[in-house]
């Protein structure tokens, strides 16, 4: 499938419960395809690798050690290690939780903002902790630019996209400003997910990643800004207005937290 390709974008994103079974094999297939076509692999990535719970640094970026000890974090560390050690070129672009102007079934459109039309938001963590967000139209705008300049980059390039850093309360205020109305925000109960754990394969993994909503963190995008100084950055309120107006399929499951790509 990759024969003749110059660039391979690995956009695979199965449910958390299938990561352990599928991620190693898929990574091997992508590496093999890149070797066969001599293509550059472009890999979207998340912040899971940096640390678990209190070990999560307040600022994350390319030079921050990857010290995650939880299962999903270790799987992503191993995937990135295999790409780093392979004899192919890899450009990795990492961001926080996704905001999108299209249906994505992520935390924002599926849970946090599902009742925004009623003036209500529900937040999965403490309302006073900074949390990293990546507006996908801005983040993905970097990919073709990086692909065009791939011959100027090294064999493995690890870059982070800064996006926005907002507490839950700041998110509510920014959503209100975007819509020109007051938005109420309350804490989400995790009890239904805990009760579903014996019956729903994704529940234990969502609980595993809960720490990202309570552990303060922001993404340092200075290295990417140095390479692409004119990369577009949509104003926060404008991005939120577009994200809030997305209509999603109510039967589509939540995909996870922390960008989860």
């Amino acid at each position: 499938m990759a024969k003749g390709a110059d660039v391979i974008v690995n956009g695979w994103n199965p449910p958390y419960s299938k990561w352990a079974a599928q991620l190693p094999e898929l990574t091997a297939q992508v590496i093999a395809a890149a070797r066969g076509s001599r293509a550059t692999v472009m890999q979207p990535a998340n912040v899971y690798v940096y640390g678990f719970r209190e070990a999560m640094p307040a600022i994350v970026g390319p030079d921050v050690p990857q010290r995650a000890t939880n299962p999903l974090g270790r799987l992503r560390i191993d995937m990135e290690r295999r790409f780093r050690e392979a004899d192919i070129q890899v450009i990795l672009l990492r961001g926080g939780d996704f905001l999108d102007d299209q249906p994505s079934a992520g935390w924002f459109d599926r849970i946090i903002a599902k009742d925004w039309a009623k003036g209500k938001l529900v937040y999965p963590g403490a309302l006073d902790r900074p949390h990293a967000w990546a507006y996908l139209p801005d983040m993905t705008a970097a990919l073709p630019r990086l692909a065009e300049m791939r011959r100027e980059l090294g064999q493995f390039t690890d870059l982070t996209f800064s996006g926005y850093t907002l507490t839950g309360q700041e998110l509510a205020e920014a959503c209100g400003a975007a819509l020109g109305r007051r938005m109420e925000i309350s804490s989400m109960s995790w009890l239904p997910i805990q009760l579903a754990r014996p019956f729903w394969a994704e529940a234990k993994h969502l609980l595993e990643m809960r720490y990202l909503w309570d552990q303060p963190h922001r993404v340092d995008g200075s290295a990417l800004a140095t390479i692409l100084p004119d990369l577009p950055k949509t104003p926060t309120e404008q991005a939120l207005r577009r994200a809030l107006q997305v209509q999603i399929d109510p039967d589509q499951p939540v995909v996870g937290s922390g960008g989860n790509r």
Side-chain angles (χ1 to χ4, degrees):
M1 294 293 291
K3 186 176 181 180
D6 294 321
V7 175
I8 297 171
V9 179
N10 182 17
W12 170 86
N13 185 39
Y16 281 153
S17 60
K18 298 185 183 297
W19 278 23
Q22 296 184 10
L23 187 54
E25 177 59 26
L26 180 94
T27 303
Q29 291 178 17
V30 173
I31 290 172
R35 283 174 176 158
S37 61
R38 297 183 179 179
T40 297
V41 173
M42 306 203 74
Q43 176 64 54
N46 53 43
V47 301
Y48 296 10
V49 298
Y50 292 117
F52 185 50
R53 294 178 179 164
E54 290 78 10
M56 175 80 169
I59 302 174
V60 297
D63 297 325
V64 175
Q66 298 187 353
R67 293 175 175 166
T69 57
N70 56 308
L72 294 179
R74 295 304 305 174
L75 283 167
R76 298 297 293 206
I77 287 175
D78 184 64
M79 181 196 75
E80 294 183 17
R81 177 189 58 78
R82 294 177 69 183
F83 277 131
R84 189 185 298 271
E85 294 176 355
D87 53 347
I88 59 172
Q89 186 182 40
V90 177
I91 301 172
L92 186 147
L93 183 60
R94 191 187 313 278
D97 254 305
F98 291 163
L99 295 170
D100 201 358
D101 60 355
Q102 301 292 325
S104 65
W107 274 100
F108 184 79
D109 53 354
R110 190 68 178 90
I111 299 296
I112 295 173
K114 67 175 182 176
D115 289 327
W116 72 266
K118 300 176 183 178
K120 297 179 180 180
L121 302 177
V122 177
Y123 198 71
L127 297 179
D128 61 348
R129 310 293 170 81
H131 185 83
W133 294 95
Y135 184 51
L136 279 184
D138 288 351
M139 182 174 172
T140 56
L143 296 177
R145 300 275 302 278
L146 292 170
E148 290 169 359
M149 61 184 302
R150 62 188 181 279
R151 290 179 178 82
E152 304 169 32
L153 301 176
Q155 181 171 324
F156 186 90
T157 302
D158 183 352
L159 295 167
T160 46
F161 177 80
S162 59
Y164 317 116
T165 304
L166 300 166
T167 66
Q169 190 60 52
E170 289 170 340
L171 179 68
E173 292 169 1
C175 286
L179 297 171
R181 60 182 294 183
R182 177 178 172 80
M183 298 294 289
E184 297 180 2
I185 188 166
S186 59
S187 296
M188 184 192 89
S189 172
W190 286 81
L191 181 59
I193 297 177
Q194 293 170 341
L195 294 176
R197 185 169 182 166
F199 317 105
W200 183 33
E202 303 309 310
K204 73 173 183 178
H205 302 294
L206 291 172
L207 291 167
E208 174 189 333
M209 303 310 299
R210 178 178 176 177
Y211 76 95
L212 283 172
W213 296 102
D214 291 319
Q215 193 62 30
H217 64 280
R218 71 175 179 87
V219 177
D220 178 5
S222 56
L224 178 63
T226 298
I227 296 174
L228 299 176
D230 57 345
L231 192 66
K233 183 170 183 179
T234 303
T236 307
E237 292 177 10
Q238 182 178 334
L240 287 169
R241 185 181 306 112
R242 293 174 180 171
L244 285 163
Q245 293 171 346
V246 168
Q247 299 296 317
I248 67 167
D249 178 354
D251 295 324
Q252 194 170 8
V254 175
V255 295
S257 173
N260 116 105
R261 298 307 194 258

